Amino acid sequence: MSALPSLAPPPATPPLRWRNRVAALGRDFHTRLPAQALPEPHWVARSEPLAAELGWPADWAERPDWRALEVLAGGAPWPGAEPLATVYSGHQFGVWAGQLGDGRALLLGEVDTPAGPMELQLKGSGLTPYSRMGDGRAVLRSSIREFLASEAMHALGIPTTRALAVVGSTLPVRRETVETAATVLRVAPSFLRFGHFEHFAHHGQPAALRRLLDFVVDAFYPEVREAANPAAALLEAVARRTARLLADWQAVGFCHGVMNTDNMSILGLTIDYGPYGFLDGFDPRHVCNHSDHQGRYAYARQPGIGLWNLHALAQAMLPLIAGDDDVTEATGELALAALEPYKAVYEDGLAEQLRAKLGLAGIEPDDVALADDWLRLLASERTDFTIAWRRLADFRADEPAPVRDLFIDRAAFDAWAARYAARLARESSVDAERAARMKRVNPKFVLRNHLAEQAIRAAEGGDFGETARLLKVLQRPYDEQPEHAAYADFPPDWAQRLEVSCSS
Ligand code: AMP
Ligand code: MG
């Protein structure tokens, strides 16, 4: 008997099956509560590539059985999810800030995806027990900034939490002016921060601290379980990931803006996009956060701050490293030893990236000096960081014009270019091949402040087209995209007057 072609409709997408391992850690970690509904919700932006990575159907946002718009606006629970806000503490601007926590975000739970289990977190979802003086909301402006940056960083190849969608509302929210509320649905394997460890250490809850350690090790760092001291090994693994992340940031000219320990991911992801910025003109002292009066989080200081934050994490982990014993000087030495590799991992990581950005195939002892002097050259004229690197890809010893034209002091450029040309000649570098290689590591498109601002202004006027266009461009940052050349241009004069602060 021949098999009849099946006339049955394709199977319906099964509803999401939720888990929540953070909930299972116990009541010390969180408070369960639902989101608070936003009025008149509407779609602002979605990252469909991310939805596809999660294995969701293409029509996820419109499916009647998912009610995604309502769910993201907090107007309906996601069937099967048990949302909760987690508690953490942290150091803010170098000072112990005490208890913080998810003041305006809810962990909806974890779902299985082709890339493994992912947590979904709804930011801007209303008051929680950790809201302190805040209103539990996020404004449209900062939600679009977080959404675009998350997806842009991912496309650049930099570890980051992701953003699936932004939903807007008519709810007025007071900041410096009255704005409107929005939510962002964020996605990451975990939203745990250094501050979660600090919380249980500072509040004298060793059993909870131990449960947190066990969870993080089992779920995310199983390779450290067999180490002589798993807690110290975890600290070292986090230090290594953080060092690599910082090398990524510096190489692309990304400034986080608020590197408080509560904004440091235990997985080494970029997390909590607030007053971040991508460098326009290169200035190592650039401070992107207008509220950062001391310049604590200036671009050039970020790698050092990463280590400072790891020291705070190490401090919190001392009881874990000591295990059943008392914390002694030897415990401290183990912790310091775990942080030891940070500097070298960072420096090696950055050196490797700079060599790739210079298009060098081999390694010579003077490569670091060559890269440093190029950066010094950029700094001396505040040359546009992204454009300079990208134009350098087309550098030819016999035709240096496009990149050379960026500099006022042509003699200074020529002196450096002669060394660069000699270096390239020594490894018989082929211009076209090198250019192709360099364009895979020197992005043409980054999320400059003024680009985000243009998308935000349009969105505040009800036009979300620019946000969608910009997202598409940023999803292919290394591609030429000649039709979008304007997005790769120098920032306009008004960009210099843009101020981004902690207000979000
Ligand atoms: P951030 O600087 O955005 O990482 O936030 C620091 C802390 O303040 C975290 O505990 C946030 O949850 C909380 N927070 C920030 N803005 C608000 C807000 N509008 N409402 C409630 N909590 C907030
Ligand atoms: Mg934060």
mmCIF file of all heavy atoms in Angstrom, residues 88 92 100-105 123 126-127 130-138 175 193 258 260 262-263 272 274 502 504, ligand 1:
data_model
loop_
_atom_site.group_PDB
_atom_site.id
_atom_site.type_symbol
_atom_site.label_atom_id
_atom_site.label_comp_id
_atom_site.label_asym_id
_atom_site.label_seq_id
_atom_site.Cartn_x
_atom_site.Cartn_y
_atom_site.Cartn_z
ATOM 1 N N TYR A 88 19.953 41.834 44.260
ATOM 2 C CA TYR A 88 21.412 41.884 44.236
ATOM 3 C C TYR A 88 21.844 43.171 44.917
ATOM 4 O O TYR A 88 21.002 43.992 45.304
ATOM 5 C CB TYR A 88 21.963 41.772 42.810
ATOM 6 C CG TYR A 88 21.398 42.728 41.779
ATOM 7 C CD1 TYR A 88 21.859 44.049 41.689
ATOM 8 C CD2 TYR A 88 20.437 42.307 40.874
ATOM 9 C CE1 TYR A 88 21.368 44.911 40.713
ATOM 10 C CE2 TYR A 88 19.924 43.167 39.899
ATOM 11 C CZ TYR A 88 20.396 44.476 39.832
ATOM 12 O OH TYR A 88 19.897 45.337 38.886
ATOM 13 N N GLN A 92 28.590 51.079 43.400
ATOM 14 C CA GLN A 92 28.285 52.038 42.349
ATOM 15 C C GLN A 92 29.297 53.175 42.416
ATOM 16 O O GLN A 92 29.460 53.779 43.482
ATOM 17 C CB GLN A 92 26.861 52.563 42.494
ATOM 18 C CG GLN A 92 25.813 51.438 42.358
ATOM 19 C CD GLN A 92 24.384 51.950 42.368
ATOM 20 O OE1 GLN A 92 24.052 52.836 43.152
ATOM 21 N NE2 GLN A 92 23.543 51.397 41.515
ATOM 22 N N LEU A 100 20.387 46.507 45.952
ATOM 23 C CA LEU A 100 19.761 47.041 44.746
ATOM 24 C C LEU A 100 18.739 45.985 44.311
ATOM 25 O O LEU A 100 17.847 45.683 45.074
ATOM 26 C CB LEU A 100 20.823 47.308 43.666
ATOM 27 C CG LEU A 100 21.980 48.223 44.111
ATOM 28 C CD1 LEU A 100 23.173 48.119 43.184
ATOM 29 C CD2 LEU A 100 21.490 49.667 44.192
ATOM 30 N N GLY A 101 18.910 45.437 43.146
ATOM 31 C CA GLY A 101 17.995 44.377 42.698
ATOM 32 C C GLY A 101 17.280 44.781 41.428
ATOM 33 O O GLY A 101 17.456 45.887 40.912
ATOM 34 N N ASP A 102 16.479 43.872 40.906
ATOM 35 C CA ASP A 102 15.716 44.167 39.686
ATOM 36 C C ASP A 102 14.610 45.159 40.040
ATOM 37 O O ASP A 102 13.501 44.781 40.404
ATOM 38 C CB ASP A 102 15.096 42.890 39.110
ATOM 39 C CG ASP A 102 16.135 41.871 38.668
ATOM 40 O OD1 ASP A 102 17.188 42.299 38.157
ATOM 41 O OD2 ASP A 102 15.903 40.661 38.833
ATOM 42 N N GLY A 103 14.937 46.436 39.916
ATOM 43 C CA GLY A 103 13.986 47.466 40.315
ATOM 44 C C GLY A 103 12.945 47.761 39.255
ATOM 45 O O GLY A 103 11.951 48.445 39.512
ATOM 46 N N ARG A 104 13.197 47.294 38.051
ATOM 47 C CA ARG A 104 12.234 47.555 36.978
ATOM 48 C C ARG A 104 12.278 46.456 35.927
ATOM 49 O O ARG A 104 12.009 46.700 34.757
ATOM 50 C CB ARG A 104 12.504 48.900 36.335
ATOM 51 C CG ARG A 104 13.948 49.101 35.915
ATOM 52 C CD ARG A 104 14.049 50.348 35.113
ATOM 53 N NE ARG A 104 15.436 50.726 34.891
ATOM 54 C CZ ARG A 104 15.797 51.710 34.104
ATOM 55 N NH1 ARG A 104 14.892 52.404 33.472
ATOM 56 N NH2 ARG A 104 17.058 52.009 33.947
ATOM 57 N N ALA A 105 12.671 45.270 36.362
ATOM 58 C CA ALA A 105 12.742 44.154 35.410
ATOM 59 C C ALA A 105 12.232 42.892 36.085
ATOM 60 O O ALA A 105 12.322 42.746 37.301
ATOM 61 C CB ALA A 105 14.173 43.949 34.941
ATOM 62 N N LYS A 123 12.146 44.218 30.840
ATOM 63 C CA LYS A 123 12.645 45.420 31.532
ATOM 64 C C LYS A 123 11.663 46.570 31.323
ATOM 65 O O LYS A 123 11.205 46.790 30.203
ATOM 66 C CB LYS A 123 14.019 45.779 30.978
ATOM 67 C CG LYS A 123 14.671 46.982 31.639
ATOM 68 C CD LYS A 123 16.127 47.060 31.248
ATOM 69 C CE LYS A 123 16.794 48.314 31.798
ATOM 70 N NZ LYS A 123 18.209 48.372 31.418
ATOM 71 N N GLY A 126 7.444 47.616 35.620
ATOM 72 C CA GLY A 126 6.717 48.147 36.775
ATOM 73 C C GLY A 126 7.458 47.956 38.085
ATOM 74 O O GLY A 126 8.553 47.395 38.127
ATOM 75 N N LEU A 127 6.852 48.452 39.143
ATOM 76 C CA LEU A 127 7.493 48.442 40.458
ATOM 77 C C LEU A 127 7.754 47.021 40.951
ATOM 78 O O LEU A 127 6.976 46.110 40.687
ATOM 79 C CB LEU A 127 6.596 49.157 41.477
ATOM 80 C CG LEU A 127 6.499 50.680 41.320
ATOM 81 C CD1 LEU A 127 5.396 51.238 42.226
ATOM 82 C CD2 LEU A 127 7.840 51.348 41.631
ATOM 83 N N TYR A 130 12.335 46.006 44.817
ATOM 84 C CA TYR A 130 13.689 46.548 44.742
ATOM 85 C C TYR A 130 13.741 47.857 43.964
ATOM 86 O O TYR A 130 14.800 48.281 43.516
ATOM 87 C CB TYR A 130 14.625 45.500 44.100
ATOM 88 C CG TYR A 130 14.367 44.116 44.646
ATOM 89 C CD1 TYR A 130 13.830 43.111 43.838
ATOM 90 C CD2 TYR A 130 14.608 43.827 45.991
ATOM 91 C CE1 TYR A 130 13.560 41.851 44.352
ATOM 92 C CE2 TYR A 130 14.332 42.572 46.517
ATOM 93 C CZ TYR A 130 13.803 41.590 45.691
ATOM 94 O OH TYR A 130 13.525 40.351 46.205
ATOM 95 N N SER A 131 12.587 48.497 43.815
ATOM 96 C CA SER A 131 12.546 49.716 42.999
ATOM 97 C C SER A 131 13.141 50.927 43.718
ATOM 98 O O SER A 131 13.449 51.937 43.075
ATOM 99 C CB SER A 131 11.110 50.033 42.582
ATOM 100 O OG SER A 131 10.565 48.996 41.811
ATOM 101 N N ARG A 132 13.273 50.847 45.023
ATOM 102 C CA ARG A 132 13.768 51.980 45.822
ATOM 103 C C ARG A 132 13.002 53.245 45.445
ATOM 104 O O ARG A 132 11.798 53.267 45.502
ATOM 105 C CB ARG A 132 15.295 52.120 45.643
ATOM 106 C CG ARG A 132 16.049 50.873 46.146
ATOM 107 C CD ARG A 132 17.526 50.977 45.927
ATOM 108 N NE ARG A 132 17.827 51.062 44.502
ATOM 109 C CZ ARG A 132 18.865 51.681 43.976
ATOM 110 N NH1 ARG A 132 19.732 52.277 44.768
ATOM 111 N NH2 ARG A 132 19.047 51.704 42.680
ATOM 112 N N MET A 133 13.710 54.301 44.998
ATOM 113 C CA MET A 133 13.010 55.564 44.704
ATOM 114 C C MET A 133 12.452 55.582 43.278
ATOM 115 O O MET A 133 11.805 56.547 42.886
ATOM 116 C CB MET A 133 13.971 56.753 44.882
ATOM 117 C CG MET A 133 14.724 56.785 46.188
ATOM 118 S SD MET A 133 13.599 56.916 47.588
ATOM 119 C CE MET A 133 13.218 58.662 47.492
ATOM 120 N N GLY A 134 12.725 54.558 42.507
ATOM 121 C CA GLY A 134 12.354 54.562 41.090
ATOM 122 C C GLY A 134 10.895 54.220 40.866
ATOM 123 O O GLY A 134 10.171 53.826 41.784
ATOM 124 N N ASP A 135 10.465 54.377 39.625
ATOM 125 C CA ASP A 135 9.060 54.138 39.289
ATOM 126 C C ASP A 135 8.845 52.790 38.604
ATOM 127 O O ASP A 135 7.736 52.473 38.181
ATOM 128 C CB ASP A 135 8.530 55.267 38.394
ATOM 129 C CG ASP A 135 9.379 55.448 37.134
ATOM 130 O OD1 ASP A 135 10.257 54.589 36.870
ATOM 131 O OD2 ASP A 135 9.176 56.451 36.435
ATOM 132 N N GLY A 136 9.926 52.028 38.465
ATOM 133 C CA GLY A 136 9.780 50.707 37.862
ATOM 134 C C GLY A 136 9.664 50.714 36.350
ATOM 135 O O GLY A 136 9.488 49.670 35.727
ATOM 136 N N ARG A 137 9.770 51.891 35.766
ATOM 137 C CA ARG A 137 9.566 51.995 34.321
ATOM 138 C C ARG A 137 10.868 52.346 33.588
ATOM 139 O O ARG A 137 11.824 52.817 34.198
ATOM 140 C CB ARG A 137 8.507 53.071 34.018
ATOM 141 C CG ARG A 137 7.114 52.710 34.510
ATOM 142 C CD ARG A 137 6.644 51.384 33.927
ATOM 143 N NE ARG A 137 5.251 51.086 34.318
ATOM 144 C CZ ARG A 137 4.651 49.936 34.021
ATOM 145 N NH1 ARG A 137 5.291 48.968 33.379
ATOM 146 N NH2 ARG A 137 3.399 49.719 34.397
ATOM 147 N N ALA A 138 10.842 52.115 32.298
ATOM 148 C CA ALA A 138 11.930 52.523 31.406
ATOM 149 C C ALA A 138 11.306 53.373 30.308
ATOM 150 O O ALA A 138 10.211 53.069 29.840
ATOM 151 C CB ALA A 138 12.618 51.300 30.802
ATOM 152 N N ARG A 175 11.092 62.030 33.696
ATOM 153 C CA ARG A 175 12.538 62.049 33.879
ATOM 154 C C ARG A 175 12.912 63.533 33.940
ATOM 155 O O ARG A 175 12.272 64.253 34.686
ATOM 156 C CB ARG A 175 13.251 61.298 32.740
ATOM 157 C CG ARG A 175 12.910 59.781 32.704
ATOM 158 C CD ARG A 175 13.486 59.015 33.905
ATOM 159 N NE ARG A 175 13.170 57.576 33.859
ATOM 160 C CZ ARG A 175 12.174 56.982 34.517
ATOM 161 N NH1 ARG A 175 11.376 57.694 35.307
ATOM 162 N NH2 ARG A 175 11.962 55.683 34.426
ATOM 163 N N ARG A 193 24.712 38.759 38.023
ATOM 164 C CA ARG A 193 25.758 39.790 38.044
ATOM 165 C C ARG A 193 26.743 39.534 39.184
ATOM 166 O O ARG A 193 26.442 38.792 40.113
ATOM 167 C CB ARG A 193 25.091 41.158 38.284
ATOM 168 C CG ARG A 193 24.080 41.512 37.218
ATOM 169 C CD ARG A 193 22.796 42.072 37.836
ATOM 170 N NE ARG A 193 21.738 42.119 36.825
ATOM 171 C CZ ARG A 193 21.600 43.101 35.943
ATOM 172 N NH1 ARG A 193 22.401 44.136 36.014
ATOM 173 N NH2 ARG A 193 20.660 43.063 35.033
ATOM 174 N N VAL A 258 28.571 52.916 32.767
ATOM 175 C CA VAL A 258 28.222 52.680 34.188
ATOM 176 C C VAL A 258 28.717 51.299 34.603
ATOM 177 O O VAL A 258 27.938 50.390 34.901
ATOM 178 C CB VAL A 258 26.703 52.726 34.450
ATOM 179 C CG1 VAL A 258 26.448 53.119 35.917
ATOM 180 C CG2 VAL A 258 25.990 53.694 33.538
ATOM 181 N N ASN A 260 29.371 49.735 37.115
ATOM 182 C CA ASN A 260 29.192 49.369 38.512
ATOM 183 C C ASN A 260 29.152 47.849 38.621
ATOM 184 O O ASN A 260 28.846 47.155 37.641
ATOM 185 C CB ASN A 260 27.903 49.981 39.040
ATOM 186 C CG ASN A 260 27.963 51.504 39.059
ATOM 187 O OD1 ASN A 260 29.057 52.079 39.145
ATOM 188 N ND2 ASN A 260 26.814 52.151 38.984
ATOM 189 N N ASP A 262 27.078 45.942 39.882
ATOM 190 C CA ASP A 262 25.763 45.373 39.596
ATOM 191 C C ASP A 262 25.481 45.349 38.096
ATOM 192 O O ASP A 262 24.478 44.779 37.670
ATOM 193 C CB ASP A 262 24.656 46.143 40.335
ATOM 194 C CG ASP A 262 24.696 47.638 40.040
ATOM 195 O OD1 ASP A 262 25.743 48.258 40.286
ATOM 196 O OD2 ASP A 262 23.688 48.174 39.551
ATOM 197 N N ASN A 263 26.366 45.967 37.317
ATOM 198 C CA ASN A 263 26.207 45.927 35.858
ATOM 199 C C ASN A 263 27.269 45.052 35.208
ATOM 200 O O ASN A 263 27.575 45.210 34.026
ATOM 201 C CB ASN A 263 26.271 47.341 35.287
ATOM 202 C CG ASN A 263 25.056 48.180 35.668
ATOM 203 O OD1 ASN A 263 23.995 47.640 35.970
ATOM 204 N ND2 ASN A 263 25.211 49.488 35.659
ATOM 205 N N ASP A 272 23.247 45.734 30.620
ATOM 206 C CA ASP A 272 22.695 47.001 31.118
ATOM 207 C C ASP A 272 23.204 48.217 30.335
ATOM 208 O O ASP A 272 24.046 48.983 30.800
ATOM 209 C CB ASP A 272 22.954 47.182 32.620
ATOM 210 C CG ASP A 272 21.958 46.374 33.447
ATOM 211 O OD1 ASP A 272 21.289 45.493 32.868
ATOM 212 O OD2 ASP A 272 21.855 46.615 34.664
ATOM 213 N N GLY A 274 23.044 51.666 29.298
ATOM 214 C CA GLY A 274 22.464 52.943 29.703
ATOM 215 C C GLY A 274 23.126 54.053 28.902
ATOM 216 O O GLY A 274 22.922 54.159 27.695
ATOM 217 N N CYS A 502 22.635 58.947 33.228
ATOM 218 C CA CYS A 502 22.075 57.752 33.839
ATOM 219 C C CYS A 502 20.547 57.736 33.729
ATOM 220 O O CYS A 502 19.920 56.708 33.957
ATOM 221 C CB CYS A 502 22.480 57.652 35.307
ATOM 222 S SG CYS A 502 24.155 57.008 35.531
ATOM 223 N N SER A 504 17.140 57.098 32.668
ATOM 224 C CA SER A 504 16.660 56.152 31.667
ATOM 225 C C SER A 504 15.312 55.571 32.081
ATOM 226 O O SER A 504 14.852 54.630 31.496
ATOM 227 C CB SER A 504 17.672 55.024 31.476
ATOM 228 O OG SER A 504 17.875 54.343 32.683
HETATM 229 P P1 AMP B 1 21.189 50.938 36.463
HETATM 230 O O1 AMP B 1 22.127 52.053 36.774
HETATM 231 O O2 AMP B 1 20.202 51.260 35.369
HETATM 232 O O3 AMP B 1 21.903 49.665 36.192
HETATM 233 O O4 AMP B 1 20.267 50.721 37.758
HETATM 234 C C1 AMP B 1 20.774 50.616 39.058
HETATM 235 C C2 AMP B 1 19.691 50.143 39.977
HETATM 236 O O5 AMP B 1 18.596 51.054 39.979
HETATM 237 C C3 AMP B 1 19.085 48.794 39.648
HETATM 238 O O6 AMP B 1 18.744 48.179 40.861
HETATM 239 C C4 AMP B 1 17.864 49.165 38.858
HETATM 240 O O7 AMP B 1 16.866 48.164 38.896
HETATM 241 C C5 AMP B 1 17.404 50.400 39.590
HETATM 242 N N1 AMP B 1 16.607 51.302 38.750
HETATM 243 C C6 AMP B 1 17.044 52.090 37.745
HETATM 244 N N2 AMP B 1 16.026 52.801 37.219
HETATM 245 C C7 AMP B 1 14.922 52.449 37.897
HETATM 246 C C8 AMP B 1 13.539 52.840 37.851
HETATM 247 N N3 AMP B 1 13.098 53.739 36.962
HETATM 248 N N4 AMP B 1 12.691 52.246 38.707
HETATM 249 C C9 AMP B 1 13.116 51.355 39.600
HETATM 250 N N5 AMP B 1 14.387 50.960 39.720
HETATM 251 C C10 AMP B 1 15.290 51.496 38.882
#
